[in-house]
C-alpha cells in the first residue's frame, strides 16, 4: 500500500452495505435478461405491473398462499438454487419474509419444513432432538435399553437433506426401528391436506427449509450451522449423516429482522436479499390481490393511513407497521364493512381500527408508561 494513499474504510456488514433501492433497480432491469431455470412464479401465476408476479394457491387461505414477487426477489431465489447457497432474507417485521418460503414450496410442489428460532434456540434442534426423559424411563423399566436412535426425533434440516435416514432415525437399513414421521404441520403435505398433493407433486423431489428469525437466537448459532449448510453433513449422537441424492434441490430460506449483525462467515455463505421500502401503491396492490372486492379507493386510503403511522413510529423509534398490519386492516374492513365516521353511538370504528392495528405499538407503549407512572 502506498503511504500516501488514504486509509481504507472499515468493512461494512453485507446486508447494510448495499442500498436496497439500487439493488432493486438493477435486478429489475435485468429481470428478463436471464433464464429463470429454477423458479419462475409466472409458470403458475400471473404478471403484474413493473415486472412483478403473483402466485396464489387455490382454496388455500393460510400464510403464504398468495404472494407478490418482485423481479429482484425472483432473481435472488434463482441464484440461491443455482449456487446451492442458503437464501438470506432481511427486512423489517411484517414485510413478507416468512411467507416467501411457503409460497415457493406451494408453487414448486416441494416439501416444506419451517422452524422458528427463539432466544434459547440451538443449532442442534434444526437437526434433531433427543428425548432424554423417555430414555431414562425406559432404562428404569427395562433391563435392556434400546439403541439411542430410538429416542431421536429428526428436525427440519435432517428431513430436508436426508429424508430416508430421518425416517430410520439414523440407523442403518435392516435395523428394526419405529419409523419417524414429520411432526404435524411440518411438511407441506400436512399443512394443506384438502388440496395436497396437487398434480405434479413428487415425494422427496425437492424441499424448502425455513429458518425464521435467526437474529433472535444466540450469536454462535449461525456459526454452528456453517458445516451443515456448506457440506450438507452432520452427526447425530456420533452417527454421521450425509445429504442423500433423493432430492433435486434443497432451498434453505433464512430470515432476519436485522436486529443484530450476523457473523461475517455466515453472511458470506448466503445469497442475500434485503426487502426495500415499499413504493407508493405497493400495499394497495397486495391488498387488491388478497381482497379483490374491496374498492381501490378504500385500499389507497388504508395505505395512506398506514404510511402516516409508519412515519410516526419511525419518529418514536418503534417497530414500523408493515404488510401484515395492512392486510389485517383490509380484512377487518372487508369482513366488518367498516366505514369512516362515527355511528349513532359515537363510535368511530375506523379510528379505532387505526389505533388497534396500525398504532398498536404506540398504544402498548403508552399503557406501559401509564403503568410505570402509577
Amino acid at each position: 500500500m502506498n503511504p500516501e494513499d488514504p486509509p481504507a474504510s472499515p468493512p461494512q456488514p453485507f446486508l447494510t452495505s448495499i442500498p436496497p433501492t439500487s439493488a432493486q433497480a438493477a435486478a429489475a432491469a435485468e429481470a428478463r435478461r436471464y433464464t429463470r431455470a429454477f423458479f419462475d412464479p409466472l409458470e403458475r401465476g400471473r404478471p403484474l405491473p413493473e415486472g412483478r408476479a403473483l402466485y396464489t394457491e387455490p382454496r388455500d387461505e393460510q400464510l403464504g398462499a398468495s404472494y407478490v414477487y418482485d423481479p429482484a426477489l425472483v432473481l435472488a431465489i434463482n441464484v440461491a438454487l443455482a449456487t446451492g447457497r442458503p437464501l438470506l432474507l432481511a427486512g423489517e417485521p411484517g414485510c413478507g419474509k416468512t411467507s416467501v418460503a411457503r409460497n415457493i414450496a406451494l408453487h414448486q410442489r416441494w416439501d416444506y419444513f419451517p422452524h422458528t428460532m427463539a432466544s434459547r434456540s440451538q443449532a442442534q434442534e434444526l437437526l434433531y432432538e433427543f428425548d432424554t426423559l423417555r430414555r431414562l424411563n425406559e432404562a428404569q423399566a427395562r433391563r435392556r435399553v434400546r439403541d439411542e436412535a430410538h429416542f431421536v426425533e429428526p428436525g427440519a434440516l435432517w428431513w430436508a437433506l436426508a429424508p430416508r435416514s430421518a425416517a430410520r432415525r439414523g440407523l442403518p437399513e435392516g435395523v428394526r426401528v419405529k419409523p419417524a414421521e414429520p411432526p404435524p404441520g411440518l411438511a407441506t403435505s400436512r399443512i394443506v391436506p384438502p388440496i395436497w398433493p396437487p398434480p405434479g407433486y413428487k415425494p422427496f423431489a425437492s424441499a424448502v427449509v425455513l429458518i425464521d428469525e435467526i437474529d433472535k437466537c444466540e450469536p454462535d448459532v449461525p456459526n454452528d450451522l456453517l458445516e451443515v449448510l456448506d457440506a450438507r453433513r452432520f452427526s447425530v449422537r456420533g452417527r454421521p449423516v450425509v445429504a442423500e441424492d433423493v432430492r433435486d434441490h434443497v432451498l434453505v430460506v433464512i430470515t432476519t429482522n436485522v436486529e443484530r449483525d450476523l457473523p461475517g462467515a455466515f453472511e458470506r455463505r448466503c445469497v442475500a436479499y434485503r426487502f426495500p421500502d415499499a413504493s407508493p401503491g405497493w400495499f394497495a396492490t397486495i391488498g387488491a390481490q388478497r381482497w379483490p372486492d374491496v374498492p381501490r379507493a378504500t385500499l389507497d386510503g388504508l395505505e395512506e393511513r398506514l404510511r402516516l403511522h409508519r412515519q410516526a413510529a419511525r419518529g418514536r423509534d418503534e417497530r414500523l407497521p408493515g404488510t401484515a398490519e395492512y392486510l389485517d386492516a383490509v380484512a377487518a374492513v372487508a369482513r366488518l364493512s367498516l366505514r369512516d365516521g362515527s355511528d349513532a353511538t359515537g363510535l368511530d370504528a375506523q379510528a379505532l381500527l387505526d389505533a388497534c392495528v396500525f398504532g398498536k405499538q404506540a398504544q402498548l407503549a403508552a399503557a406501559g408508561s401509564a403503568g410505570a407512572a402509577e
Side-chain angles (χ1 to χ4, degrees):
M1 176 183 292
N2 191 326
E4 298 181 358
D5 290 342
S9 57
Q12 299 296 317
F14 180 68
L15 290 176
T16 57
S17 60
I18 300 178
T21 51
S22 61
Q24 179 89 353
E30 296 292 328
R32 289 301 179 186
R33 296 186 184 179
Y34 72 97
T35 302
R36 300 183 178 189
F38 300 97
F39 176 74
D40 186 356
L42 289 177
E43 286 182 355
R44 296 189 178 95
R46 62 185 181 88
L48 295 176
E50 301 180 9
R52 293 167 178 153
L54 168 71
Y55 175 69
T56 300
E57 184 67 32
R59 295 178 288 135
D60 182 6
E61 297 183 355
Q62 298 188 40
L63 178 68
S66 181
Y67 200 87
V68 176
Y69 288 91
D70 186 89
L73 176 57
V74 175
L75 174 59
I77 295 169
N78 276 278
V79 171
L81 289 168
T83 59
R85 294 290 190 180
L87 176 60
L88 180 59
L89 301 178
E92 63 185 45
C95 68
K97 304 183 300 297
T98 300
S99 51
V100 170
R102 182 169 184 267
N103 193 267
I104 294 173
L106 288 169
H107 180 277
Q108 300 293 93
R109 276 50 177 159
W110 291 355
D111 285 329
Y112 174 56
F113 303 98
H115 188 94
T116 301
M117 307 300 286
S119 58
R120 296 186 179 182
S121 293
Q122 298 297 319
Q124 177 185 299
E125 66 192 50
L126 285 161
L127 305 173
Y128 71 94
E129 292 186 1
F130 186 75
D131 195 337
T132 305
L133 182 60
R134 187 160 63 92
R135 185 178 187 275
L136 179 61
N137 290 338
E138 184 168 303
Q140 294 175 341
R142 298 185 180 187
R143 293 181 179 178
R144 183 178 179 182
V145 181
R146 294 180 295 173
D147 190 285
E148 282 189 341
H150 291 267
F151 309 97
V152 167
E153 293 298 331
L157 280 174
W158 193 353
W159 280 112
L161 296 173
R164 292 175 178 170
S165 170
R168 298 192 308 271
R169 306 178 190 270
L171 288 174
E173 292 188 21
V175 178
R176 293 185 60 183
V177 62
K178 180 182 178 181
E181 294 184 2
L186 188 63
T188 308
S189 55
R190 294 171 180 267
I191 289 181
V192 283
I195 62 172
W196 199 271
Y201 170 72
K202 297 180 180 179
F204 294 162
S206 295
V208 178
V209 177
L210 171 65
I211 304 176
D212 201 18
E213 299 185 340
I214 196 169
D215 52 332
K216 283 189 175 180
C217 56
E218 293 297 325
D220 59 340
V221 172
N223 284 331
D224 292 341
L225 292 172
L226 289 179
E227 183 177 2
V228 179
L229 299 177
D230 243 359
R232 304 276 171 122
R233 65 170 180 258
F234 53 94
S235 62
V236 177
R237 312 292 291 185
R239 285 191 171 94
V241 176
V242 181
E244 301 165 356
D245 59 1
V246 296
R247 296 195 189 275
D248 297 327
H249 302 285
V250 175
L251 175 62
V252 180
V253 178
I254 306 170
T255 72
T256 172
N257 295 328
V258 203
E259 293 178 354
R260 68 166 67 174
D261 290 337
L262 298 175
F266 181 80
E267 289 184 349
R268 287 193 296 272
R269 286 167 169 81
C270 297
V271 172
Y273 174 83
R274 181 163 186 165
F275 285 78
D277 290 338
S279 57
W282 167 252
F283 294 108
T285 299
I286 294 178
Q289 309 308 321
R290 187 71 62 90
W291 298 95
D293 296 333
V294 176
R296 180 67 189 219
T298 301
L299 297 173
D300 290 338
L302 286 172
E303 176 170 335
E304 182 179 354
R305 289 199 292 273
L306 170 65
R307 291 187 180 279
L308 290 175
H309 280 279
R310 285 171 62 86
Q311 184 178 359
R314 190 177 283 112
R316 295 189 296 266
D317 197 25
E318 296 173 353
R319 187 183 74 80
L320 275 60
T323 306
E325 286 80 8
Y326 179 78
L327 292 176
D328 285 344
V330 176
V333 168
R335 290 171 172 165
L336 303 177
S337 300
L338 292 179
R339 298 291 182 267
D340 288 323
S342 303
D343 60 14
T345 65
L347 175 68
D348 189 342
Q350 193 67 262
L352 288 176
L353 173 67
D354 281 9
C356 67
V357 177
F358 296 152
K360 54 189 173 186
Q361 289 290 111
Q363 276 204 91
L364 295 174
S369 300
E374 293 177 2

